[in-house]
Amino acid sequence: MNDARANERLARKVEWRTPNATEQKTFEDHKTLKTYAEFLVAAVEVDNESWILMERVWHGFPDPPRWIFIAFDPNGRTICGGDFDHIPTNWTMPEGAILPLEETV
């Protein structure tokens, strides 16, 4: 279950973008992010926070939901994270970011 900080961020209107090469490399090299999900799907800066959206191949009961996002403060510390099965309708995703699962494995 997501906490209030995560739910507040899930409710925001957000226009995501494709991660740049530096963000993708940071994701690939990070010690723990790849334990949460296999793919970095999108990134965005919102109110002095950096958010990332990741996709899990292993999702659905009994595994966690397909999507996970994490918000970081300007110093790179985690503020909150959220798990969900469907992308919020108030989020705009970059072209081609959301592929049918069969295309991502």
Side-chain angles (χ1 to χ4, degrees):
M1 185 150 102
N2 299 327
D3 69 14
R5 293 172 301 167
N7 287 333
E8 185 274 326
R9 286 161 178 80
L10 289 169
R12 291 184 187 184
K13 184 175 176 144
V14 178
E15 233 177 279
W16 291 84
R17 62 174 171 71
T18 302
N20 62 41
T22 301
E23 291 163 332
Q24 187 63 46
K25 176 147 179 40
T26 299
F27 172 74
E28 295 295 332
D29 293 345
H30 197 277
K31 292 178 180 147
T32 57
L33 287 178
K34 297 276 294 192
T35 65
Y36 295 119
E38 289 81 12
F39 302 105
L40 177 61
V41 175
V44 68
E45 288 72 38
V46 178
D47 296 335
N48 210 28
E49 298 175 1
S50 297
W51 296 7
I52 59 172
L53 177 65
M54 300 175 289
E55 181 180 17
R56 295 178 173 116
V57 170
W58 39 271
H59 62 86
F61 183 81
D63 292 319
R66 181 174 178 182
W67 305 103
I68 178 173
F69 95 98
I70 301 175
F72 300 96
D73 73 13
N75 296 316
R77 291 184 298 246
T78 301
I79 298 169
C80 66
D83 294 301
F84 44 92
D85 288 310
H86 304 286
I87 299 293
T89 58
N90 47 307
W91 285 5
T92 303
M93 300 309 299
E95 181 91 20
I98 307 303
L99 299 173
L101 189 58
E102 307 78 52
E103 294 181 39
T104 62
V105 288

